[in-house]
Amino acid sequence: MFGSTPTSTTIVSFNSEALGIATRAIWPLRRAAESETFGAEAGVLLSMALLATNNSEDAIDAASKVLERDPGNAGALFARGRALLGAKREEEALDDIEAYVDRMPEEPQGRLVQIGLLVMLSRIDEAEAAIADAAPLFESLVDEQPEQ
């Protein structure tokens, strides 16, 4: 499946390590997500950890619990959108990602996921409009990069 080159070995090792970290984080994050102090942030992190372990439905539930308490939580919208995408529920994912983009218009990751979802859903005119809308953001990111 994977070659034995140093690069492929490193990638497999890194992915295995990241998966292990995410897996070990789930139990304490579940506890922290119940807390009044850390609940929202821990719930978002829990959703992301569950998604990293390919547990999309539980990731959706974790982010949804955050959104029940704080409907405008941008991190939870993004996490649930990504989890819905992982669960092959693209239309619902697009709703959350577009709500995230509305709240966080300067975050390129939301724009990229939004554009990808629009293309996946064959909504090409909307994807083109989203690309045009995001172009100044992406151009500014290129301008910010130091010259090499």
Side-chain angles (χ1 to χ4, degrees):
M1 181 159 110
F2 293 104
S4 61
T5 65
T7 303
S8 64
T9 303
T10 303
I11 291 169
V12 171
S13 174
F14 176 77
N15 286 341
S16 296
E17 185 176 328
L19 180 60
I21 291 168
T23 301
R24 288 190 303 275
I26 290 172
W27 184 82
L29 285 171
R30 281 191 197 279
R31 297 281 309 255
E34 297 169 3
S35 149
E36 288 296 321
T37 306
F38 303 110
E41 186 176 352
V44 171
L45 292 173
L46 173 60
S47 180
M48 293 167 53
L50 289 163
L51 186 57
T53 62
N54 293 318
N55 201 337
S56 297
E57 292 301 327
D58 285 345
I60 293 166
D61 291 342
S64 293
K65 287 179 183 173
V66 173
L67 290 165
E68 286 171 10
R69 293 185 290 202
D70 181 8
N73 187 299
L77 285 166
F78 186 75
R80 188 172 71 179
R82 293 284 312 272
L84 287 162
L85 177 57
K88 308 282 189 242
R89 293 162 53 184
E90 291 88 358
E91 288 285 349
E92 293 172 84
L94 182 59
D95 290 340
D96 279 355
I97 295 300
E98 288 188 332
Y100 173 81
V101 167
D102 288 344
R103 286 167 180 75
M104 306 293 288
E106 299 303 312
E107 290 295 326
Q109 61 198 14
R111 300 295 188 115
L112 291 171
V113 175
Q114 176 192 33
I115 292 164
L117 279 164
L118 289 167
V119 171
M120 286 174 67
L121 294 167
S122 299
R123 293 164 59 175
I124 304 305
D125 290 342
E126 291 175 67
E128 289 174 348
I131 290 167
D133 189 45
L137 170 63
F138 293 123
E139 288 169 0
S140 72
L141 293 174
V142 171
D143 292 341
E144 292 175 8
Q145 298 299 316
E147 291 192 30
Q148 297 182 11

